[in-house]
Amino acid sequence: RTAIEHGARFVTLLGRRDGTTCPKWIDMISFLRPLDRHLMPHKSGNMISFECWQNCYREAGLRSPKCWEDGLLKPNNHTISVSDVAFIAGFHGLFELRVGEINRFREDGLGVELKDGSMLDVNMIIKCTGFHLNDEVPRLTGFTKMQPYGLLDFNMNYGAEPLLDGGQFGGSKDKTQVDLDFSDITEEEYKKGLETMAKFGFNLGYIEPHGNPFGAGGGGAPR
């Protein structure tokens, strides 16, 4: 987006795998749609939005994310990018998406060879992706677990992006399995506890699964 906004005649976005990008209105309308008591929008509206989203890719001449073929909204450990410029530029022939990795720079300095043997003519290369996991936090803090809102201990909070798996936006596929320790509480005992809570008039709605109305940036319990 930045390259096109600054006058680039053509931009190729090359990545090791497909990401997922949506137009701004797809993202914005998700905040405007009515939610049920579990903070979830109606599924029929999701289908209408997704069909329009697919059409944006087709009409812009951009390749659709490979993960959609597998029934996933986005790849594992990725969020969803939001950009109108990608689709506008694709429609006007200024932008393309490619999957691959650079093998070497050409001798003429005006292109690269990818690992699949194909060539890509370029005047400029901008490396703008990649990150390193910070696995030193448990050693530095002495904690291996934290609350979903970032709290480690009294007056100690850790801000980090969670694993962005298939369940990030309520998906049922590609969820990362997490083993939880309930201190040997059985399923029968858990159900009995719910019955006891209801008997004393507690609102069981507070412990039911809920959606996240704040999108990817809002972590922790919404209620």
Side-chain angles (χ1 to χ4, degrees):
R1 184 188 71 184
T2 303
I4 292 174
E5 289 175 342
H6 283 75
R9 290 180 295 176
F10 189 83
V11 174
T12 298
L13 179 61
L14 178 70
R16 291 188 293 269
R17 62 175 176 173
D18 284 316
T20 304
T21 302
C22 76
K24 288 184 178 180
W25 68 269
I26 289 284
D27 185 54
M28 186 60 192
I29 200 172
S30 65
F31 293 96
L32 302 178
R33 291 171 54 198
L35 305 175
D36 62 19
R37 67 186 187 92
H38 293 117
L39 304 179
M40 297 293 290
H42 200 278
K43 290 184 178 181
S44 61
N46 293 344
M47 295 173 63
I48 294 172
S49 292
F50 187 66
E51 183 179 0
C52 293
W53 189 357
Q54 290 176 308
N55 289 335
C56 287
Y57 268 96
R58 282 193 291 267
E59 293 180 9
L62 301 177
R63 54 179 289 150
S64 298
K66 181 68 168 58
C67 60
W68 285 4
E69 299 176 11
D70 302 323
L72 299 173
L73 189 63
K74 63 176 191 60
N76 189 51
N77 210 23
H78 269 248
T79 187
I80 297 176
S81 302
V82 180
S83 175
D84 284 341
V85 176
F87 295 95
I88 295 171
F91 181 81
H92 290 285
L94 302 174
F95 177 63
E96 69 169 348
L97 296 168
R98 295 276 296 270
V99 173
E101 294 183 66
I102 295 176
N103 183 45
R104 66 178 181 87
F105 291 89
R106 289 208 318 243
E107 289 77 5
D108 61 8
L110 296 175
V112 294
E113 178 186 356
L114 304 185
K115 289 187 176 181
D116 63 3
S118 62
M119 295 290 181
L120 189 61
D121 295 330
V122 296
N123 298 111
M124 182 182 298
I125 297 175
I126 302 174
K127 183 181 179 182
C128 54
T129 60
F131 62 90
H132 297 282
L133 294 175
N134 189 351
D135 54 6
E136 294 291 310
V137 176
R139 183 183 64 82
L140 294 172
T141 64
F143 292 93
T144 59
K145 296 180 180 180
M146 71 180 191
Q147 299 292 335
Y149 41 84
L151 188 66
L152 293 173
D153 198 4
F154 181 73
N155 278 344
M156 183 182 292
N157 195 80
Y158 175 60
E161 192 169 66
L163 172 65
L164 306 176
D165 66 2
Q168 180 191 5
F169 295 101
S172 59
K173 291 187 177 182
D174 205 26
K175 284 189 176 181
T176 299
Q177 181 66 37
V178 178
D179 295 325
L180 300 177
D181 180 12
F182 290 105
S183 302
D184 298 325
I185 298 176
T186 65
E187 183 177 356
E188 290 73 20
E189 290 173 329
Y190 177 76
K191 291 180 179 179
K192 185 177 180 180
L194 293 179
E195 294 171 359
T196 302
M197 291 179 64
K199 179 180 178 181
F200 284 97
F202 288 98
N203 185 358
L204 299 183
Y206 285 102
I207 60 175
E208 293 176 352
H210 284 74
N212 185 352
F214 304 107
R223 298 186 66 179

